[in-house]
Amino acid sequence: AQTVTQSQPEMSVQEAETVTLSCTYDTSESDYYLFWYKQPPSRQMILVIRQEAYKQQNATENRFSVNFQKAAKSFSLKISDSQLGDAAMYFCAYEGSNYQLIWGAGTKLIIKP
Amino acid sequence: DTGVSQNPRHKITKRGQNVTFRCDPISEHNRLYWYRQTLGQGPEFLTYFQNEAQLEKSRLLSDRFSAERPKGSFSTLEIQRTEQGDSAMYLCASSLHSGSYGYTFGSGTRLTVV
């Protein structure tokens, strides 16, 4: 069975600086998708970025980028120029052949002004 | 399109009562998912539909849980004889075909069983 692990329960960063959130996963599949979702307090889950496993190029979305290491089964999220609005729970998720999302436990990101 | 809509936002019920939640997905999305999220945890998959067909159901979903998606439009999730352990946020998401383009989530229904 697939698993997703986020080893950092909480991270903090100074506003305008860069922070990296870690995610590792375990799977025997070769074709899958990986996602980072953001969940602000009492608000809905928002897609931040996605990565197709068959693509070697790391996905980027404005200030958000990933470091996808398929062999190491690692999928970290880098947030550049951190803003106060980035404060939220961040979840790493895996989608394989059964179309179900498997989620990590989340990392709480705190932005210090 | 206003996104994925879930009702009610909050539900407090007494143990043993039945509750029903509704999810209205994005109209052109043919896949609809239900997840459950407890405090401080990532969501757990419950079930999903492709159009009106329920294609997968988690082992987490006991016989007290049932979900429907009549005519492939909105979906309902019913919990019968609620227990305190059912207290959680119930999230609905929809996607176009597979989730490879990402899922759009609703704001969730927070259930508290007292």
Side-chain angles (χ1 to χ4, degrees), chain B residues 19-83:
Chain B
V19 294
T20 300
F21 311 140
R22 178 177 170 128
C23 172
D24 288 89
I26 291 174
S27 56
E28 61 264 29
H29 286 183
N30 60 354
R31 288 185 180 238
L32 185 148
Y33 303 77
W34 286 98
Y35 287 84
R36 180 171 65 189
Q37 185 180 23
T38 52
L39 203 60
Q41 298 296 319
E44 297 172 299
F45 170 80
L46 293 179
T47 189
Y48 92 90
F49 294 83
Q50 180 166 316
N51 300 314
E52 66 274 14
Q54 188 173 18
L55 295 187
E56 193 83 24
K57 191 173 172 180
S58 168
R59 287 188 296 271
L60 294 173
L61 223 58
S62 74
D63 291 344
R64 298 184 297 106
F65 288 71
S66 62
E68 294 182 342
R69 192 183 182 196
K71 302 179 183 178
S73 55
F74 70 93
S75 176
T76 58
L77 177 67
E78 181 183 16
I79 309 174
Q80 296 182 326
R81 305 181 303 282
T82 52
E83 302 171 356

Side-chain angles (χ1 to χ4, degrees), chain A residues 37-47 88-89, chain B residues 2-6 9 37 89 91-92 103-108:
Chain A
Y37 277 87
K38 166 186 177 181
Q39 189 176 40
S42 301
R43 294 188 62 186
Q44 67 194 92
M45 202 75 79
I46 301 166
L47 177 64
M89 285 292 291
Chain B
T2 56
V4 178
S5 176
Q6 289 189 250
R9 290 292 304 274
Q37 185 180 23
M89 177 76 84
L91 300 173
C92 177
Y103 301 74
T104 303
F105 281 82
S107 297

Side-chain angles (χ1 to χ4, degrees), chain B residues 93-109:
Chain B
S94 69
S95 71
L96 184 63
H97 304 302
S98 79
S100 57
Y101 293 95
Y103 301 74
T104 303
F105 281 82
S107 297
T109 293

